Amino acid sequence: MDAIQALSQIEEQREFEFTADDFTYIQEFMLRETGISLSERKTSMVYGRLARRLRRTGITNFRDYFARVNSDMDERIAFVNSLTTNKTQFFREKHHFDFLTNTMVPEWQNQKKRRIRIWSAGCSTGEEPYTIASTLAASGLLTPSYDCKILATDLDTQVLEVGRNGTYGIEASKAIPAAMLHHGFIRGKGKKQELLKVKPSVQQAITFKQLNLTAAWPHKGPLDAIFCRNVMIYFEKDMQQQLIFRFWEKLGSGGILFIGHSESIGQMGSRFENLGQTMFRKP
């Protein structure tokens, strides 16, 4: 289905006129500014999310709204936030964290490695970096004997605020193994008993930062692990390969790249050792 067909299906129920040219403008903006590729299948989703922005701003047509986006940095951020997808949970693709616990941590300990640097790229609302940090805490690495730091980045500023806060519904605890739950989280009391709070010692290991993956990256030293899972599916193939090459450059020798179950590293496979289950080691 192309953009025109998709638009015609919602024509009767849409509140604002939304043309094929409007959708093309949004596609080109997101690809240019963020690297995200929006297919025609996303037409209804794009309209629905941006219609909320038009209502909030009081603007009655997309042409005027695009002018606001180009002249108002706050609205530009809200525009991008509206069109990014943030689906995550604690211990998603648990085998990655089993590998961290059972293979990576023992290797670091045998090497007497004290400096650990991990990047959660596309961290969404924080479940992934807190999963990493609680895993390290349960393994004894979040102690003064180690220098462990996790950088958690995302394009969406709103989800980063959720991550910084470190508070989740108690139902999230069902996905967290007992050891990690004990070392990483505190259940609220009284009126807050339905909330799960990340322990301060775990929060302190993580820095949350807004970052566009297609722009410059802030890392100064080599990384021991990069988690970029279910993020590259939103990029075109050429951009995916560019990102994987940049990940390879940032990883230190023996560093591990974790990607999503529906993703692959394509031509960059010759530069990595494939460990299976979407885990790749830089020799």
Side-chain angles (χ1 to χ4, degrees):
M1 178 184 297
D2 61 22
I4 295 175
Q5 289 175 313
L7 286 167
S8 67
Q9 289 188 358
I10 61 172
E11 186 171 1
E12 292 185 2
Q13 63 192 44
R14 70 190 182 206
E15 182 179 351
F16 307 100
E17 182 181 6
F18 188 52
T19 68
D21 286 344
D22 291 332
F23 184 72
T24 298
Y25 178 91
I26 295 165
Q27 282 182 304
E28 292 176 349
F29 180 99
M30 291 297 288
L31 186 61
R32 181 180 67 252
E33 299 295 326
T34 72
I36 294 173
S37 178
L38 294 171
S39 72
E40 280 74 15
R41 291 174 298 175
K42 302 287 188 181
T43 302
S44 296
M45 179 274 286
V46 168
Y47 170 80
R49 293 185 180 185
L50 292 183
R52 291 195 286 269
R53 294 306 310 165
L54 267 68
R55 293 186 201 104
R56 182 162 294 186
T57 59
I59 297 173
T60 58
N61 65 81
F62 277 89
R63 179 170 293 185
D64 288 347
Y65 177 69
F66 296 151
R68 169 74 69 85
V69 168
N70 286 320
S71 63
D72 183 336
M73 183 54 67
D74 288 340
E75 189 56 40
R76 189 183 187 91
I77 292 171
F79 172 80
V80 171
N81 286 352
S82 296
L83 296 179
T84 51
T85 301
N86 300 288
K87 181 181 178 182
T88 187
Q89 67 184 58
F90 289 105
F91 287 86
R92 187 180 186 184
E93 299 183 52
K94 183 175 176 293
H95 55 275
H96 288 163
F97 304 103
D98 291 340
F99 184 82
L100 178 60
T101 297
N102 300 324
T103 301
M104 297 180 72
V105 168
E107 285 180 357
W108 293 336
Q109 291 172 331
N110 289 337
Q111 296 165 1
K112 300 191 183 305
K113 185 178 177 65
R114 299 298 179 183
R115 180 188 182 277
I116 309 294
R117 294 293 183 270
I118 298 174
W119 181 17
S120 170
C123 66
S124 188
T125 44
E127 285 88 339
E128 180 176 270
Y130 287 130
T131 295
I132 298 167
S134 64
T135 299
L136 297 181
S139 298
L141 269 65
L142 294 192
T143 65
S145 299
Y146 291 89
D147 174 18
C148 290
K149 291 190 169 109
I150 300 164
L151 176 65
T153 67
D154 203 279
L155 183 64
D156 188 331
T157 56
Q158 293 176 324
V159 298
L160 287 170
E161 284 305 311
V162 176
R164 289 189 185 99
N165 184 269
T167 303
Y168 303 91
I170 193 64
E171 66 277 2
S173 65
K174 295 176 182 178
I176 305 174
M180 287 66 170
L181 189 62
H182 171 74
H183 284 88
F185 303 88
I186 305 168
R187 180 166 183 168
K189 297 180 181 179
K191 294 180 179 179
K192 296 184 178 181
Q193 63 180 339
E194 294 305 311
L195 296 177
L196 189 69
K197 180 71 175 175
V198 180
K199 287 185 175 181
S201 59
V202 171
Q203 278 189 295
Q204 290 169 8
I206 303 172
T207 299
F208 287 91
K209 183 179 179 66
Q210 197 272 345
L211 181 69
N212 184 337
L213 282 176
T214 65
W217 296 350
H219 314 86
K220 294 181 180 178
L223 298 171
D224 300 290
I226 298 174
F227 289 76
C228 186
R229 306 181 309 158
N230 308 301
V231 175
M232 291 187 292
I233 53 175
Y234 299 105
F235 296 101
E236 294 185 328
K237 294 295 184 184
D238 288 347
M239 179 57 68
Q240 292 176 14
Q241 289 299 291
Q242 291 177 37
L243 288 175
I244 294 167
F245 177 74
R246 294 177 71 189
F247 291 146
W248 178 85
E249 287 186 311
K250 289 295 182 183
L251 284 168
S253 178
I256 308 293
L257 172 64
F258 298 88
I259 63 176
H261 69 277
S262 62
E263 298 170 322
S264 69
I265 62 172
Q267 297 174 355
M268 283 295 297
S270 62
R271 293 179 179 262
F272 287 92
E273 176 191 357
N274 189 341
L275 303 177
Q277 295 188 301
T278 56
M279 300 181 293
F280 302 88
R281 186 190 300 273
K282 179 178 178 179

